[in-house]
Amino acid sequence: MKYTSRRGLLSAGTGLAVLSAGCLDQISGDETDDPGDSDETNESDGNDLSPLERWVPASGSSELLFHYRDLTAVRQYEDALRTDVVESVPTLPDGESSEFVEQVADGEPAVDAVCRFGSKGVAGNVVVSGSFDPGSVDADRESAAGDFEVLERDGVSVAVSEETVVVSPSDGADLDAILAAGLEGTDRRIDAHGNFAQLTDRVGDSTFLWGEYEGSDDGSGAAFSWTLGAETATYSALAVYAEADRTAEFEETMSKRFDDVTVEVDGTVGVATRTVPTEEYEYRDLFAERGSQPARPQAGVSIDPDSSDRTVTVTYVSRGSTVDRLEISDESGNEAEMTQVGETMTFEYDAGASGELTVVAVGSETEAVVATYTYSF
């Protein structure tokens, strides 16, 4: 992954849209079903749990949307993935929390995983794992919780340790509740809501995960995930219902859509899986497509300087679905635009020239810096 230039999404996904279309909106029900045995979860200190199992507290909105991406797995299988796909995977959380994470992380490779959950799609609480420097926070620290420094910034509560960053905005669960769930195992949602525990238990090893859950112990939910491997990538569509007879509908629907899908039903839970070669996998952000907030323009570029010719060449590598064009400029007065993947642009410089070159992805509603390069000749 090119950590200085990646913040991109691609719009396609092998089989993803067809399998997931309509499932999030079709799941409903009122009857209570056995939530299952969660004694082992109650005794866990959290180290053997997925981020959703560990950090999501019972408190907060009854309608929960969640997203997870394991960047360590992406790096592990980077050689098996297409270059444009690697470039398309965001390494930081969306929204304002990305700026804070960038501040405490020593470069994007320090981020190992991003987990988001809340009532507004990609908005809500953020838990980021990796390597961080709590001492780099440029705000007055209000208090401390264990190994975490806790502070408030513009109405957002933030806790940061050397391994984890937790962000709690006003529309999410309370920061104290998240820390209690993650650090002490207190009032986790998997312990209070049996059907949510069934959902998260089956998607713990996913590389990418999107889903939602609504209700309490007998609630309904859906999750869509990809798990990367050296040779194949496995896609799973999972649904948990309040009524066991709804799984028959799930099985029929999934079986009709693909010849190569395997469907399993266990009580109120249905799971459909299929595999594709890892080299055919394409990243797709389901939350961005649901329109929870305007998608941030994202693109991938490569920047190649040549000191002998005193030139810098920018190549348009990949683009997100919301990008209209790339705008390139530098402090020497050069400007250019690119609109198609594969285009290149070269700036020439005089001896002694120095400054910073900036690449900006521009969409219909917003724009974002996707790469910078400091030149000196």
Side-chain angles (χ1 to χ4, degrees):
M1 287 180 283
K2 296 185 178 180
Y3 305 106
T4 59
S5 65
R6 185 210 316 101
R7 291 187 183 97
L9 299 172
L10 294 185
S11 60
T14 307
L16 189 59
V18 179
L19 268 176
S20 64
C23 290
L24 288 175
D25 297 325
Q26 293 172 358
I27 298 174
S28 62
D30 301 319
E31 296 183 10
T32 302
D33 192 68
D34 183 6
D37 184 3
S38 58
D39 290 343
E40 293 184 5
T41 301
N42 290 332
E43 297 175 358
S44 171
D45 61 3
N47 292 329
D48 58 344
L49 299 176
S50 69
L52 287 172
E53 292 173 309
R54 177 178 180 179
W55 292 98
V56 178
S59 59
S61 172
S62 62
E63 179 187 6
L64 181 75
L65 293 99
F66 48 88
H67 169 50
Y68 174 75
R69 54 184 176 269
D70 182 350
L71 301 174
T72 301
V74 176
R75 297 182 188 112
Q76 179 180 355
Y77 300 113
E78 182 173 356
D79 291 342
L81 296 164
R82 296 203 320 267
T83 301
D84 59 342
V85 171
V86 176
E87 291 283 352
S88 74
V89 179
T91 58
L92 293 169
D94 302 320
E96 298 178 355
S97 57
S98 64
E99 298 178 5
F100 184 86
V101 174
E102 279 186 307
Q103 181 180 346
V104 298
D106 185 16
E108 290 180 355
V111 177
D112 294 333
V114 178
C115 178
R116 303 195 66 119
F117 58 91
S119 59
K120 296 184 179 180
V122 296
N125 305 109
V126 181
V127 179
V128 183
S129 63
S131 300
F132 308 106
D133 177 16
S136 65
V137 177
D138 62 351
D140 294 333
R141 299 185 179 115
E142 301 293 336
S143 61
D147 295 331
F148 285 81
E149 298 288 351
V150 180
L151 56 102
E152 298 287 333
R153 176 186 291 178
D154 298 328
V156 177
S157 301
V158 181
V160 56
S161 73
E162 293 183 353
E163 298 180 348
T164 309
V165 176
V166 181
V167 182
S168 174
S170 59
D171 67 343
D174 181 74
L175 180 64
D176 289 339
I178 300 173
L179 292 176
L183 302 179
E184 302 172 11
T186 305
D187 294 328
R188 288 173 175 151
R189 189 165 295 212
I190 58 170
D191 298 331
H193 298 175
N195 275 3
F196 181 69
Q198 291 196 73
L199 192 71
T200 57
D201 181 61
R202 290 169 169 83
V203 295
D205 295 330
S206 303
T207 307
F208 303 109
L209 171 69
W210 299 265
E212 70 176 320
Y213 182 86
E214 185 170 8
S216 55
D217 195 55
D218 60 342
S220 303
F224 308 95
S225 69
W226 280 96
T227 303
L228 299 180
E231 297 183 357
T232 60
T234 301
Y235 172 71
S236 296
L238 187 150
V240 59
Y241 301 94
E243 300 170 309
D245 59 4
R246 292 294 305 280
T247 56
E249 177 186 343
F250 173 86
E251 184 173 15
E252 180 181 4
T253 301
M254 294 296 102
S255 297
K256 286 182 177 179
R257 287 180 173 171
F258 285 95
D259 294 332
D260 59 349
V261 70
T262 299
V263 183
E264 298 180 355
V265 172
D266 181 13
T268 60
V269 181
V271 183
T273 59
R274 65 189 301 264
T275 61
V276 300
T278 301
E279 62 184 8
E280 295 181 8
Y281 169 76
E282 297 185 27
Y283 181 79
R284 187 172 190 170
D285 189 341
L286 294 184
F287 276 170
E289 294 181 9
R290 296 186 70 195
S292 52
Q293 68 179 32
R296 182 182 180 183
Q298 303 184 42
V301 300
S302 65
I303 300 177
D304 301 303
D306 188 326
S307 57
S308 61
D309 291 339
R310 294 196 298 273
T311 62
V312 175
T313 299
V314 179
T315 303
Y316 197 165
V317 176
S318 65
R319 64 181 296 172
S321 60
T322 62
V323 176
D324 292 331
R325 65 186 184 278
L326 296 183
E327 295 182 351
I328 306 96
S329 61
D330 64 18
E331 295 178 347
S332 298
N334 295 307
E335 295 182 350
E337 288 188 2
M338 292 192 290
T339 59
Q340 300 295 326
V341 171
E343 282 188 72
T344 62
M345 178 283 310
T346 300
F347 285 160
E348 298 180 353
Y349 296 94
D350 295 329
S354 63
E356 185 174 73
L357 179 149
T358 303
V359 183
V360 178
V362 180
S364 59
E365 299 182 39
T366 185
E367 61 183 43
V369 175
V370 296
T372 60
Y373 174 75
T374 301
Y375 58 90
S376 179
F377 297 100

